[in-house]
Amino acid sequence: MSNFLTGRAAEIAKAMKPRSMHVKQRKGHYSIVPYQTTHNTGGAIMGTDPRTSVVNRYLQSWDVPNLFVVGSCAFPQNAGYNPTGTVGALAYWAANAIRTQYLKKPGALVSA
């Protein structure tokens, strides 16, 4: 799969006519060990449109109103530094919305 994706990325990059380009296929098995200090994000993107995102501003699933997804998976990109503070702030934000809004009137907190 890695070779296939690298090849596809190379095709796209070549079509963009770069000044220079270097394609390097990965050799051997993948190991997470070198990346244990990185902060992987994304996967359940937060947004304003259910067609382009998974959760709303309160981290509530667009499709399942009693599902709240808390974590850096809500970020549409990696900010490039430790996301712990932002994740904590969003957790408090979601918990407050659950407590003050959702529990009083279960359902979507944001209109789609």
Side-chain angles (χ1 to χ4, degrees):
M1 182 173 25
S2 177
N3 289 342
F4 173 78
L5 290 176
T6 300
R8 293 294 300 159
E11 288 176 25
I12 293 167
K14 189 174 181 178
M16 296 169 66
K17 300 183 186 337
R19 285 187 207 153
S20 66
M21 187 172 120
H22 175 72
V23 178
K24 184 177 179 183
Q25 296 284 352
R26 184 165 40 112
K27 295 185 183 353
H29 295 286
Y30 177 78
S31 171
I32 192 66
V33 173
Y35 306 103
Q36 289 181 350
T37 61
T38 62
H39 302 283
N40 297 316
T41 62
I45 305 302
M46 173 176 40
T48 58
D49 184 345
R51 292 175 293 164
T52 59
S53 58
V54 176
V55 296
N56 65 29
R57 65 190 308 242
Y58 299 108
L59 305 179
Q60 180 185 38
S61 168
W62 288 110
D63 297 327
V64 182
N66 67 344
L67 174 63
F68 290 79
V69 183
V70 180
S72 63
C73 60
F75 301 162
Q77 74 284 327
N78 190 328
Y81 64 93
N82 190 325
T84 303
T86 307
V87 170
L90 285 172
Y92 278 118
W93 172 259
N96 183 61
I98 292 167
R99 187 175 55 82
T100 62
Q101 297 176 60
Y102 181 81
L103 291 177
K104 291 178 181 176
K105 186 179 177 191
L109 297 178
V110 176
S111 297

